[in-house]
Amino acid sequence: AQSVTQLDSQVPVFEEAPVELRCNYSSSVSVYLFWYVQYPNQGLQLLLKYLSGSTLVKSINGFEAEFNKSQTSFHLRKPSVHISDTAEYFCAVIGLGQGAQKLVFGQGTRLTINP
Amino acid sequence: NAGVMQNPRHLVRRRGQEARLRCSPVKGHSHVYWYRQLPEEGLKFMVYLQKENIIDESGMPKERFSAEFPKEGPSILRIQQVVRGDSAAYFCASSQHWESPLHFGNGTRLTVT
C-alpha cells in the first residue's frame, strides 16, 4: 500500500514570491505521482504528473515538481506566484500497474496568496 | 464537451433522511469513482464502478451507503438514514479506461442538520 504526507496544511505567501509545497510518499513498489489543484467550490484538476523519464515535470501555468526517489519526495514549486494560484493542492500516488481506484491522496495544502 | 456533472451542488438533509447524489461521467467514460472529502482532509476513495457492476467498494462503509451505475443514466451514491458525520463533500470522477487519468466533477456538498 502507498501513503502520502503533505507536510504543510497551509502556506501563505506574498504575490510574486516563490513557493514550495512539500510532498513525501511511501511505497514498497514503483509509483506514479500526481499533483492536483482544487479551486474554491470546484473539483480536482490534474496539475502535473510523473510517470517515467525526466524527474522534473512542468505544468502549463508555471508550476514544476521533481521526483526524488532517494528522498521519496515530489515537491511542487513555482518561482513567482499569482493571486489566481490561491487554491488547495493535493499530492497523490499510485503503484505501477494499479487501477485508478488505488490512487491515494495527501491531506492537502492550502496555498493563500497575499497581495 | 461536458465534463463530469454532479448534482445537486449542495444538499441539506436532516438526520435520518436519505441522500441521493448523482454523477454523469464524461461522455464515453465507462468507469466511475466516488470519493469523500471531510473537512481538512484529502479525498478518500469509496467505490469504483463500471456500467452495471461494482468493481471495488473497499472504501465504502458497510451500512447505509450504496452505489450504482446503471446501463442508462447517471451513477447514484445513496446514503440512507444520514448522520451528522456524513456531512462532507462527495466527488465523482470518471475515466475511459481503468488506467486512464481521472476527470473530477465539482462535487456535492452534503450537510446533515
Side-chain angles (χ1 to χ4, degrees):
Chain A
Q2 289 74 42
S3 68
V4 178
T5 302
Q6 290 182 245
L7 297 162
D8 306 297
S9 60
Q10 296 189 54
V11 173
V13 295
F14 287 106
E15 195 172 13
E16 298 183 6
V19 70
E20 177 180 82
L21 306 184
R22 295 179 292 170
C23 171
N24 287 89
Y25 70 92
S26 69
S27 176
S28 56
V29 300
S30 296
V31 297
Y32 297 145
L33 292 153
F34 306 83
W35 276 99
Y36 283 84
V37 57
Q38 184 181 29
Y39 298 105
N41 297 313
Q42 293 187 26
L44 275 68
Q45 301 173 33
L46 182 63
L47 186 62
L48 47 73
K49 60 186 177 186
Y50 169 76
L51 303 180
S52 64
S54 172
T55 56
L56 183 65
V57 291
K58 301 185 179 186
S59 73
I60 58 172
N61 59 351
F63 283 93
E64 63 180 35
E66 185 155 22
F67 170 52
N68 188 319
K69 189 175 181 180
S70 62
Q71 297 188 3
T72 59
S73 68
F74 191 53
H75 301 330
L76 182 69
R77 301 184 183 95
K78 189 171 185 179
S80 176
V81 294
H82 190 267
I83 291 280
S84 60
D85 294 324
T86 296
E88 189 141 20
Y89 292 79
F90 292 93
C91 182
V93 66
I94 190 169
L96 256 64
Q98 292 183 328
Q101 78 274 21
K102 298 298 184 186
L103 192 61
V104 176
F105 289 89
Q107 305 92 316
T109 298
R110 191 176 302 276
L111 178 62
T112 306
I113 313 299
N114 299 308
Chain B
N1 240 354
V4 176
M5 304 299 292
Q6 288 188 251
N7 67 81
R9 289 296 303 275
H10 300 274
L11 182 62
V12 180
R13 285 287 178 266
R14 291 195 177 132
R15 276 181 299 169
Q17 290 185 318
E18 178 180 287
R20 290 170 71 88
L21 288 62
R22 294 175 189 77
C23 168
S24 296
V26 173
K27 190 175 180 181
H29 286 191
S30 59
H31 300 252
V32 165
Y33 310 80
W34 285 94
Y35 290 84
R36 177 164 62 177
Q37 184 181 31
L38 294 168
E40 308 303 320
E41 293 188 20
L43 273 70
K44 300 283 192 241
F45 167 75
M46 297 181 74
V47 61
Y48 163 38
L49 309 104
Q50 277 185 272
K51 281 290 186 182
E52 301 183 273
N53 292 305
I54 295 175
I55 307 301
D56 184 341
E57 56 182 349
S58 58
M60 199 148 73
K62 294 286 186 280
E63 297 177 354
R64 302 187 298 109
F65 285 73
S66 62
E68 62 178 17
F69 188 19
K71 190 176 180 182
E72 301 291 337
S75 175
I76 306 286
L77 179 67
R78 183 180 176 209
I79 312 172
Q80 295 177 290
Q81 299 169 8
V82 295
V83 301
R84 288 230 172 95
D86 296 332
S87 294
Y90 291 83
F91 288 94
C92 173
S94 73
S95 68
Q96 197 169 25
H97 305 291
W98 67 278
E99 287 185 301
S100 304
L102 297 176
H103 296 253
F104 282 86
N106 287 342
T108 293
R109 279 151 184 85
L110 172 66
T111 302
V112 179
T113 61

